[in-house]
Amino acid sequence: MVSTDMYYLNKVMSHLFLDTSSPEADGVTFRSIGSIADFWKFAEGPLLDGLYWDKWYNNMTLTIQKNSSRIYYENLLLGVAQIRQLKVRNGTCSIYPYFQTLLKECYCEYRYQAEDRSAFGLKNGWNYVSVSSLSPWYWGYVGLYSNGGFIFTLPKSKQESMEKLVFLRQNSWLTRGTRVVFIDFSMYNANINLFCIIRLVAEFPATGGVLTSSYIYSVKLLRYVTYYDYFLASCEITFCLFVITFIIQQAIKIAKLKTEYFRSVWNWLDILLISIIAIAFNIYRTVEVSLLMEELLSNSSVYPDFYFLASWQVHYNNMIAVNVFFAWIKIFKYISFNKTMTQLSSTLSRCAKDIIGFAIMFFIIFFAYAQLGYLVFGSQVDEFSTFQNCIFTQFRIVLGDFDFAPIEEANSILGPIYFITFVFCVFFVLLNMFLAIINDTYSEVKADFAVIPSQEFAVSDFIRQVSTYPWELSQFKQADRKVYKRSLRGALAQGFVAVFLCPRLFRYTAELEKELEDVNRKLSKFMKKK
C-alpha cells in the first residue's frame, strides 16, 4: 500500500507548488498568499511554471508529444488543471442597526444554505456547475465546502492559460463573496507506477485575508502491473481464504458459547469487520478504476477527476493500517503463556475499574482547564484558538513540549496561574496517582504469582532434551527404549502443561465451580420432585 517512492514524489511536488516562487510573482509562494492580489500573482507565476514544462534546462524545446506536459520531465500531466470557487450571497448576515446606514453589503462565512449559485460576470457568462458525482466535500479551516461551484479549466498551452488567467483577473472573477478556491490537477509517473493527485486550497474567510492548505496524494491505482504485483495478488487471495475460514470458525464458536463468547476481549477483537470491509472495498476499487480509467483519459483537454479515487484509496490505506495494528495486538493473545505477559495482562485487567474511575476524575479536571485556556487565551494564542487545540496543547504541556511566553503575553496574571496550577494538579498529582494505581495492582499480582510454584518449562531445556533424545535412545536396548521414551514423554507433557495451563488454572477452576453449582442446583430440583 505504501512505499518510499510515494514520500519522495509528495516531497518533490510539495516543494514545486507550495514553496517555489518566480520573478513575476514578486517572491509570493502558495504558502505566503495573504490577499486576492497575491493569489493572482501565484496563479500567473509559480502555478503555470510548475504545470507546463515545455523546455529543457538549457531552454531547448522538449521533443515530446504535442500539447503534453511532463512535470520535472518525468510526471505526465493528465488532462488539464481545474480551478473552482464557491461564493456566498450578499445580505446573508445581520448588520447592527447603528451601522446599516454605513454598510450596504454583508457576506457571511461559508454555509451551504448561503451559497451563491447565480450567474455573474460579463453578460453573466460564469455559471454555477452542480457536481453529481460522489466526490467528497472538503473540510477546510473555516468551513465544510460542497463539491459544486464556478468552474473553469486551463488550456493545454502555457500561453493560452496565462491569457485566460489575466482575463479572469481583469474582470473580477474573485469577488467579496468568494470563500474558497480549489486548484486541482493530476499526474502519472510511469517509472514508479504512481498517480499524484494535487489539490491546492485557498480559503477567503469572512475576516479577510487568505488561509492556504494543500492535499497531495500519491497512490497506486493500477495495482497489477509487474510480477511482484501479481505475487501480492496471490497473497491477497490467500488472505481472503484465511478470513473466510476464520469467519466460519467464529460462527461455530458463537453458536456453541452464545453469550459467553462476548465476555472475552479477544473475541471482540476477533469479530471486528475491518478485514471484511477492506476486502469488499479492494474489489470495488479495482473494478471502479478499470471502468473510470478509459473514461477519464479519453479526452486530454478536460480535467480528469482522480481526486475521488485518490481520497478513497487513502481511506482504504488507513483501514489497512488499523487492521495491521490490531493484528499486531493479537500477538499478546498467543504469547500469554509467558509468566511476564500473564502478569501484565492480569495487572491491566485487575486495575481496569480503578483506572476507569480515575479517568473520569482526570478528564473532569483536564477539560475544565481546557475550557479555561480557551476562554482566556483563545483570541490571542494559536495553541488555544479552538477547544480541540486546547486539548492537544495540554497534552503537550504534560510532556514538556510547550512555549510559556505566548500565554504570559496574552494575560500576565491568569497565564502564569493557569500554567502553574495545571502542571501541579495534572503532572504532579493526577499522573502520580495513576502510576500508584498500576504499581499497587502489579505488586498484588506479583505476590499472587509468587505463591504459585514456579514450574515454567524453559524452551532451551526442551530443545536440549529433544536434540539429545536420539543419541540417548540408541544407548539402550529395545526393552529399555520403551521405558525411557515413556518417561521422556511424561516430562515433556509436564513441561507443556506448566507452560500453557498453569497461568490459566484459576480461570478454569472458577468455570468448573460454576458448572458444579449448576449441576448441584439441578440435582436438588430433581430430588425435590422425587
Side-chain angles (χ1 to χ4, degrees), residues 455-458 489-502:
Q455 297 180 358
E456 285 196 354
F457 185 72
R489 284 180 178 173
L492 294 178
Q494 290 178 3
F496 178 84
V497 171
V499 172
F500 291 96
L501 300 183
C502 281

Side-chain angles (χ1 to χ4, degrees), residues 35-42 169:
S35 63
I36 294 179
D38 290 343
F39 174 83
W40 287 117
K41 289 180 181 179
F42 165 78
R169 173 171 56 82

Side-chain angles (χ1 to χ4, degrees), residues 201-222:
V201 184
E203 296 180 69
F204 299 85
T207 58
V210 183
L211 301 174
T212 59
S213 58
S214 62
Y215 278 80
I216 302 177
Y217 297 140
S218 291
V219 294
K220 188 175 183 179
L221 297 178
L222 302 177

Side-chain angles (χ1 to χ4, degrees), residues 33-324:
I33 293 177
S35 63
I36 294 179
D38 290 343
F39 174 83
W40 287 117
K41 289 180 181 179
F42 165 78
E44 297 172 15
L47 177 62
L48 295 184
D49 293 341
L51 288 175
Y52 300 100
W53 291 58
D54 52 2
K55 293 184 181 298
W56 192 243
Y57 62 88
N58 57 1
N59 289 329
M60 290 183 61
T61 302
L62 293 174
T63 56
I64 57 177
Q65 187 177 355
K66 184 179 179 181
N67 290 333
S68 62
S69 174
R70 294 185 180 270
I71 300 173
Y72 275 122
Y73 313 114
E74 302 292 346
N75 304 280
L76 177 65
L77 179 65
L78 301 177
V80 295
Q82 173 184 275
I83 300 180
R84 172 170 65 98
Q85 76 157 317
L86 293 173
K87 303 171 57 180
V88 294
R89 299 187 304 272
N90 182 22
T92 50
C93 53
S94 301
I95 302 177
Y96 197 74
Y98 293 166
F99 294 96
Q100 288 181 356
T101 57
L102 300 176
L103 300 174
K104 301 298 183 182
E105 296 179 342
C106 179
Y107 299 88
C108 69
E109 67 276 4
Y110 178 83
R111 296 193 303 270
Y112 182 73
Q113 296 79 4
E115 194 173 85
D116 186 3
R117 301 180 179 86
S118 58
F120 72 104
L122 297 176
K123 298 181 180 179
N124 293 331
W126 297 318
N127 299 311
Y128 184 89
V129 178
S130 298
V131 179
S132 59
S133 67
L134 298 177
S135 180
W137 287 23
Y138 181 82
W139 197 339
Y141 286 122
V142 293
L144 179 63
Y145 304 101
S146 66
N147 51 17
F150 296 91
I151 302 174
F152 73 90
T153 58
L154 296 178
K156 295 289 291 183
S157 68
K158 182 177 181 179
Q159 183 60 34
E160 293 178 358
S161 298
M162 175 65 76
E163 294 174 357
K164 190 166 189 177
L165 289 175
V166 171
F167 174 78
L168 293 173
R169 173 171 56 82
Q170 293 176 347
N171 290 277
S172 301
W173 187 70
L174 297 180
T175 66
R176 284 186 58 192
T178 300
R179 286 293 171 258
V180 66
V181 175
F182 299 94
I183 303 175
D184 296 293
F185 51 94
S186 306
M187 62 194 73
Y188 175 68
N189 190 309
N191 302 332
I192 52 179
N193 187 28
L194 287 179
F195 287 82
C196 187
I197 292 86
I198 299 179
R199 166 166 286 184
L200 307 179
V201 184
E203 296 180 69
F204 299 85
T207 58
V210 183
L211 301 174
T212 59
S213 58
S214 62
Y215 278 80
I216 302 177
Y217 297 140
S218 291
V219 294
K220 188 175 183 179
L221 297 178
L222 302 177
R223 293 287 307 280
Y224 310 112
V225 178
T226 64
Y227 290 112
Y228 180 72
D229 294 336
Y230 287 107
F231 167 73
L232 293 180
S234 64
C235 294
E236 292 172 354
I237 294 174
T238 306
F239 174 77
C240 294
L241 295 177
F242 271 109
V243 170
I244 294 173
T245 305
F246 183 77
I247 292 173
I248 297 173
Q249 292 178 349
Q250 295 302 309
I252 296 173
K253 195 174 180 181
I254 293 174
K256 289 182 178 180
L257 300 178
K258 296 181 180 179
T259 57
E260 291 289 333
Y261 176 88
F262 299 99
R263 294 184 179 181
S264 174
V265 177
W266 296 114
N267 292 337
W268 279 100
L269 189 61
D270 289 338
I271 63 175
L272 286 177
L273 303 178
I274 299 177
S275 296
I276 303 174
I277 298 174
I279 293 172
F281 181 80
N282 191 24
I283 297 173
Y284 167 76
R285 188 276 318 278
T286 303
V287 174
E288 192 70 14
V289 168
S290 300
L291 295 176
L292 292 180
M293 194 64 66
E294 294 183 2
E295 178 183 351
L296 295 175
L297 300 179
S298 59
N299 188 353
S300 62
S301 299
V302 299
Y303 164 70
D305 188 8
F306 282 95
Y307 185 80
F308 166 74
L309 294 177
S311 60
W312 280 105
Q313 177 65 34
V314 172
H315 295 329
Y316 173 71
N317 293 349
N318 297 337
M319 188 189 310
I320 292 295
V322 174
N323 202 17
V324 172

Side-chain angles (χ1 to χ4, degrees), residues 468-479:
T468 58
Y469 169 74
W471 180 83
E472 294 179 356
L473 195 62
S474 63
Q475 306 300 317
F476 294 91
K477 296 179 180 180
Q478 186 67 27

